[in-house]
Amino acid sequence: MEGAIKTVVTQFLSAARGKEDLSGKNFQKLVQSQLGNIMSDTDSSSAVKDMMKGLDDNQDGKVSFKEYMTLIGYVANSVCEQKGQPNAAGGQ
Ligand SMILES: [Ca+2]
């Protein structure tokens, strides 16, 4: 689990390219490259934009780490609801 947490943090930092927040473009790249198998609709850039608007609590057009964690929470929750996904929880 520690590895998974580090991955979540590392992926955000690398996608943000040294900035504190993800731009729309970087958010889209991150979602498409890292969550494409787990989430539907990531191929549609308008769906990803809508997703980003939903996450963007302070409406600055960027995704902060905190806002990104909201997404991870949603994704983790949906994986939990569809139990039995191989490798999803890294355990039995
Ligand atoms: Ca924001």
Side-chain angles (χ1 to χ4, degrees), residues 4-92:
I5 292 170
K6 282 182 190 161
T7 300
V8 164
V9 172
T10 308
Q11 290 295 340
F12 178 88
L13 294 176
S14 105
R17 301 176 166 272
K19 307 235 167 75
E20 286 190 16
D21 303 286
L22 295 175
S23 67
K25 203 173 83 182
N26 289 340
F27 175 72
Q28 182 158 343
K29 272 195 218 159
L30 176 67
V31 167
Q32 286 174 341
S33 67
Q34 300 299 322
L35 298 170
N37 295 320
I38 225 170
M39 296 179 71
S40 53
D41 289 351
T42 57
D43 288 340
S44 151
S45 60
S46 67
V48 174
K49 266 184 202 158
D50 286 346
M51 191 193 302
M52 184 177 152
K53 274 186 204 159
L55 292 173
D56 192 8
D57 260 349
N58 63 354
Q59 313 217 325
D60 63 354
K62 293 178 286 190
V63 178
S64 67
F65 186 75
K66 187 172 162 245
E67 291 162 353
Y68 162 75
M69 286 314 295
T70 308
L71 172 67
I72 301 301
Y74 281 133
V75 172
N77 193 44
S78 74
V79 169
C80 188
E81 282 171 359
Q82 307 162 20
K83 285 172 208 169
Q85 280 225 13
N87 306 322
Q92 306 192 8

